[in-house]
Amino acid sequence: MDSVQKIENKWQKYWQEHHTFEAKIDKSKEKYYYLVEFPYPSGAGLHVGHVRSYTALDVLARKKRMMGYNVLFPMGWDAFGAPAEQYAIKNHIHPSKAVAENIKTFKAQIQKLGISFDWSREFSTTDPEYYKWTQWQFLQFFKHGMAYKAKKNINWCPKCKTGLSNEDSSGGVCERCGTQVVQKEKEQWMLRMSDYAEDLIEGLQDTDFQERTKLAQINWIGKSTGAEVDFPLKQVSEKLTVYTTRPDTLFGVTFMVVAPEHPYIDLYSGLIQNMNQVIDYREQANKKTEFERTQLVKDKTGVKLEGLSAINPVNGKEIPIYISDYVMMNYGTGAIMAVPAHDERDYEFAQKFGIPIIQVLEEETGEKHEDETSKESIVAIVYDKENDKYLTINWKNNGGRLFVGGTMKEGEDPISCAIREIEEETGYSDISFVRSGFKINHHYYAYNKNRYFNIEATPLLFKLNSDERKKQNLDEDEKFDVEWVTKDIVEKEIHDELHSKSFQYVMTPGAMCDDGIHIHSDVLDGLSKKEAIDKIISYLEEKNLGRRKTNYKLQDWIFTRQRFWGEPIPLIYCEECGWVPVSEEDLPVLLPDVAEYEPTDDGESPLARISEFVNTTCPHCGKPAKRETDTMPNWAGSSWYWLRYMDPHNDKEFVSREALDYWGKVDWYNGGMEHATRHLLYARFWNQFLYNIGLVPNKEPFKVRASHGMILGEGGVKMSKSLGNVINPDDIVSTYGADSLRTYEMFIGDYEKEATWSEQGLNGCKRYLDKVIRLGEKVNDSDHYSSELEKDIHKTIKKVTEDIDDLKFNTAISALMILLNKMEKMNSISRADYHTYLTLLNPIAPHLTEELNEVYQLGKPLCESEWPKYDENKLIDEEKEIAVQVNGKVRATILVHINDSDETIREKALQEANVIKHVEGKEIVKVIVIKGRIVNIVVK
RNA sequence: GCCCGAAUGGUGGAAUGGUAGACGCGGUGGACUCAAAAUCAACUGGUAGCGAUAUCGUGUCGGUUUAAUUCCGACUUCGGGCACCA
């Protein structure tokens, strides 16, 4: 046989010359569209991670073709972006040249792997024939009012000298270079993506994305429901509107906070007496990067606005207003009502600034009952710092371990009640009050009084000063031991809900954010959280004080970058007519062929320096006008590329209706988990927009979304240049062959999880393929399955077919290995045995199997053959070995026939010597016979 | 902090209520060879035993079940996503 390299070249050539994988619209066949994220053709070349996902989809595509589907499996290049531009700046060549070089390398590398891409549909996002239509689609956004220019505080990367979307600067650092992002005010083109927030959530129902992908999208969109509430200002007849998800806590508002950028600060600067201080603070906040503001400095800071205050619309109370950077201008209204009792952040702020905390929600414990008697009480926790112990009273069988508790007497406050109770019950009196926690609403039944009680209990913490002890003053029925115990014992032995909750409240002070019942809230008293939210919103709407409101974290898409290497935005600014779109026949607006790609320091695009580009005439009135010089973000080109694949050479339309109607949705889209939020959201948004204006037939572009796990270097670390552990697929192909690499990457483990590269593992797969080759020497003349193998072959067809569909490539290969091991033990195998074997292996190792199929003249090329079928009747085992358990432990195995009755199986099981040994002298309680699986004998 | 996922031999991993460790790698002693590589055949979770066998064992603790890696509850660790979003 020829060398591996020779064989692989031969078949790659065959497929190319026979246009084997080129898809044509064929209405007699069912279509299937596989899409794998197109790569950014970087100078580093192909990575073994690319090989994994391309091979996986290739396996699916090859199998699907053999099953008779018309498969579209295209590939292209996402080639706009910073690295090509950086490379061009450094080497003084046009980015398009660098891109062309890289594409050439990438393509050659991919072709050496034998991936069955339809290369006739190849394009790059940087081709003018492609970006013409990206520009055209942008104009559709513009014409439908979906694109607007806005002066925005944007995330600015000082190193890349460009604006970034929120998505590109998550974590406060530039996605590209890791530099901390600063805020800069700039005019930007925006796409109204936030209008689609709800549709983007709902559309997920029409997809079969993995649950984790759906969740990531939903989280990113960040829907929250609540209300806007108008707080009248005291000094002027204007309102400060806030957004809250907890309007039910309106009666607990003790202050308000506005973002440093809030317009009211300048608007009412005349009223604010400490304006200097406020301005100082605002400047400090502005200097902080988004990263510092949101990630690092969680310490609350702020300044009170002296001379400006608000009125709580539901109770008329005057409320101070603060500015603080924990409130963001770009979410909600840029102002909040603060309820420190029931919001963690407000709690922290209130603690720091000494603002009162009003509890309006009580946690409820115990079971509610009719005819309860109400009273106020306390739970007192005394801490002995010296011994690190807590004072408890142990009621033993009459109620277990508790803290000191008691009922407040007429006119008594919680602290004095607690001091009295502690002394009466335990004798300790040299104590001092530390703090109290939120009140708890507790329901219980008192056996000694035969009554139901509903108490409002205040938990209190005291510290012990000395163990000086007076005589206890106990009632007749109070029989308990006073014991000091550790925190451990408290947590283990105090089961009473009220007491353990009390302990939690006083030991870890913080806001109470759980559900409960409302107090001090007028019309809301007694209601639960959900009931109260509904009621207060209706109340606010009725009185015109507020309204129901849904908010999303998802913001509009900042669609401009101040860079050279991107699609020019096809708009012209005319003094007379404003922003005017370039007319369609003038598209594409080409990137000029110049030598200056450096971004400018003032934040303008490099295109702004090129006067031949900038200066033009208005398409509307013909007067001199200027082009937009910003370009589109990286994500633009990848937001519709799957549509272009359907009809890549169309110069009349972005894609023909015929192609859209035939190829429809992408049936299976594979990509990295890192694109589960941004790219996938942009692409879905773009598609939904095209659908809404009638340009595409489906609202959702993708049916299934799968993602591959990363491949790590040996030792489980990320492959990186600096560690020197990057595996170059070319090296592997030339030493082991593409088929070995493909097989190994499919065998390495769960496709969706990360996997560790191992050269030894790769070698094992090479050995396996060598065995497949040697198996050919055993082929005889028979055209029927060998009788000893028939059953195994049918089982393997079933297993491989199902496993590939489930992306369980590793177990599919394992099944093939098992069948091979069996075939190797035979003196000879039939042509049919071998042919089926090679066909099953073909999607995974296409070159080798084609060659063997030809060498042994088993039939036409496998790429033109049908996928093998299995016969259900041939899968059934006449006899099977099953386990016999006694009390759940395997004691023997027995051979059972398919027709054996439960009774026969039971008899067989009970005759086994080792079973008799374990059953002897015991009573058989039950014998469980599960047909074809197990016998379990239960004895006593 | 919140949300999601994972944890199984020396190792990558199988098994989704029914004989835990399929398959691969590695290892051990053997065959072939002057020798090595390649290849072939055997063994390979721990402990005890010559062995039949017994016993322990799927991150930890508890529960449901005739039976739990698998289901339920609590926890630990690791990975991923989001994060002052009101």
Side-chain angles (χ1 to χ4, degrees), chain A residues 883-892 914-915 918 934-937:
Chain A
V884 181
Q885 296 184 331
V886 179
N887 283 352
K889 288 194 170 169
V890 179
R891 298 301 179 188
N914 203 36
V915 172
H918 286 90
I934 208 161
V935 180
N936 193 1
I937 301 161

Side-chain angles (χ1 to χ4, degrees), chain A residues 315-382:
Chain A
N315 62 11
K317 273 197 199 165
E318 182 178 350
I319 304 166
I321 304 172
Y322 289 75
I323 69 166
S324 171
D325 61 7
Y326 84 93
V327 172
M328 307 291 150
M329 196 58 227
N330 57 12
Y331 183 78
T333 62
I336 62 159
M337 59 177 227
V339 187
H342 306 291
D343 180 280
E344 208 53 62
R345 296 148 301 183
D346 299 346
Y347 182 89
E348 273 173 49
F349 193 90
Q351 285 285 319
K352 188 152 171 187
F353 287 82
I355 303 166
I357 295 172
I358 302 175
Q359 182 183 8
V360 292
L361 214 67
E362 271 176 357
E363 185 144 357
E364 225 175 353
T365 57
E367 292 250 334
K368 207 169 174 171
H369 206 274
E370 276 172 35
D371 305 324
E372 290 175 327
T373 309
S374 297
K375 55 185 190 178
E376 281 184 84
S377 69
I378 57 99
V379 175
I381 294 152
V382 185

